[in-house]
Amino acid sequence: MNLTQISPSLRYCAPSIGLYFNTPSSLRRHRHRHRRLRLPTALPPTTSSVPKTTTTIISFLPRFLNPHFVTGNCLLSRMEVSSLNGPASEAVEIDKRFWSGSGIGTNKEMVENLQNYGVVRSKKVSEVMESVDRAFFVPDGVPPYVDTPVPIGYNATISAPHMHATCLQLLEKHLQPGMRALDVGSGTGYLTACFALMVGPEGRAVGVEHIPELVASSIKNIEKSAAAPLLKEGSLSVHVGDGRQGWAECAPYDAIHVGAAAAEIPPALIDQLKPGGRMVIPVGNIFQDLKVVDKDTDGSINIHDETSVRYVPLTSREAQLGDN
């Protein structure tokens, strides 16, 4: 596979990537059968002595944006081309102009930008994202309002603002006052704080993170934010634990968010989802889908794919840190 182009989104300010390669015509029709590989664009055939080929693009394609959009919390500059059967020496280099140059300098401007592009669609999500200043939840010296995932240490990231907004929109009806929410892989605590404001003091928001240092720093971050009173009162809490096992003490949950990609949906999280509740979780390895899991009042499970994503893996603490 030969990477030849990285192209910006035409409709949205978040970064994007196109993976271009030459495919024999006889194989292309088989590739269409793979439900996660979208082949929307065919460029003119290349001229060579080898059998006729066509340059084709694979897009990580959210269903509500354009075909060149990439979403998630995996830093694209760290994606390995070898995972897609390309030469190991070929790494994806992201032009920094795609990440910067937005001119967004305040939390309010960040939310307004997401509203302008239709990512934030409700008044409630707008209000909570304006209330929880993202600047408190990113490392010092990092531009807090640029729409990109940011490394937070320990081989983890805080997701891009558009991804947080997307998940808040998907879970909004299950984050009403008095409801219970679980944030798996809570990281710096940003989305846990948002959940807490949405469910209010009569509800319960729980973050679970298996890196103790991140739990400690997330508590300090929350203490600086609009969610601080809820942390003090106890309706918001963050715990050290394996998020794949959920947090049974406060189950069942009306809303569960998982901030890393699982190979399969963990059974414990299904069990801890309340009848009538909803979970959003990225699932997959190389190719991932953000899955929306709804549990009906009779306990039956319905799952649909919301968008294609690229997240860091949901794994053990040892695997994440590279411990032997």
Side-chain angles (χ1 to χ4, degrees):
M1 180 177 68
N2 181 32
L3 286 181
T4 60
Q5 183 174 351
I6 296 176
S7 60
S9 166
L10 300 179
R11 293 179 53 197
Y12 188 61
C13 63
S16 57
I17 177 173
L19 302 183
Y20 290 88
F21 60 101
N22 288 333
T23 308
S25 300
S26 60
L27 296 181
R28 290 200 310 278
R29 59 179 176 271
H30 299 294
R31 292 187 181 273
H32 278 278
R33 297 174 185 170
H34 195 304
R35 71 183 185 87
R36 286 178 178 148
L37 292 187
R38 306 274 179 118
L39 307 178
T41 304
L43 301 181
T46 57
T47 56
S48 68
S49 58
V50 299
K52 183 179 179 180
T53 61
T54 300
T55 302
T56 310
I57 179 173
I58 293 178
S59 297
F60 299 91
L61 179 65
R63 286 118 174 103
F64 60 94
L65 291 174
N66 78 63
H68 300 287
F69 183 84
V70 176
T71 187
N73 70 2
C74 181
L75 293 174
L76 298 183
S77 59
R78 295 171 58 192
M79 289 175 62
E80 294 180 359
V81 179
S82 57
S83 66
L84 295 175
N85 299 322
S89 61
E90 291 184 323
V92 179
E93 295 294 338
I94 299 301
D95 189 328
K96 294 185 183 298
R97 75 175 183 270
F98 297 158
W99 300 104
S100 58
S102 64
I104 297 175
T106 68
N107 196 67
K108 183 176 178 62
E109 288 176 349
M110 179 192 78
V111 177
E112 289 174 346
N113 188 59
L114 294 172
Q115 288 176 304
N116 290 338
Y117 285 98
V119 183
V120 172
R121 303 185 301 279
S122 74
K123 181 179 179 181
K124 185 65 176 179
V125 171
S126 172
E127 288 175 346
V128 74
M129 290 190 71
E130 286 187 12
S131 298
V132 181
D133 195 329
R134 194 169 186 265
F136 294 137
F137 296 88
V138 300
D140 292 339
V142 174
Y145 309 119
V146 176
D147 195 20
T148 175
V150 172
I152 58 175
Y154 310 98
N155 293 321
T157 64
I158 176 175
S159 295
H162 76 268
M163 200 66 244
H164 282 149
T166 297
C167 292
L168 287 170
Q169 288 288 165
L170 290 170
L171 292 170
E172 180 182 10
K173 292 182 180 179
H174 306 272
L175 293 169
Q176 300 301 311
M179 291 184 173
R180 293 185 171 227
L182 174 66
D183 186 18
V184 173
S186 52
T188 64
Y190 174 81
L191 208 55
T192 317
C194 291
F195 289 169
L197 289 183
M198 294 181 80
V199 301
E202 63 272 37
R204 188 69 192 269
V206 177
V208 178
E209 169 60 57
H210 60 195
I211 306 297
E213 294 85 352
L214 286 178
V215 171
S217 64
S218 70
I219 291 172
K220 292 180 180 178
N221 297 338
I222 294 169
E223 287 174 342
K224 295 181 284 187
S225 76
L230 300 173
L231 181 67
K232 185 176 181 180
E233 294 166 6
S235 60
L236 188 168
S237 60
V238 187
H239 307 274
V240 178
D242 186 341
R244 296 171 297 180
Q245 302 304 314
W247 194 255
E249 180 180 329
C250 299
Y253 299 97
D254 299 275
I256 298 177
H257 165 265
V258 182
E264 297 178 348
I265 301 174
L269 299 184
I270 294 286
D271 292 342
Q272 292 175 29
L273 187 63
K274 184 178 180 179
R278 169 173 283 191
M279 170 167 51
V280 292
I281 176 172
V283 178
N285 295 308
I286 297 171
F287 297 99
Q288 303 166 2
D289 290 312
L290 185 68
K291 294 187 179 291
V292 177
V293 182
D294 290 309
K295 180 180 280 190
D296 291 343
T297 53
D298 63 1
S300 61
I301 300 297
N302 296 294
I303 304 174
H304 75 265
D305 295 345
E306 179 66 21
T307 182
S308 300
V309 292
R310 190 74 167 98
Y311 272 71
V312 296
L314 180 68
T315 185
S316 67
R317 175 189 178 278
E318 292 75 20
Q320 181 172 323
L321 297 179
D323 293 350
N324 294 323

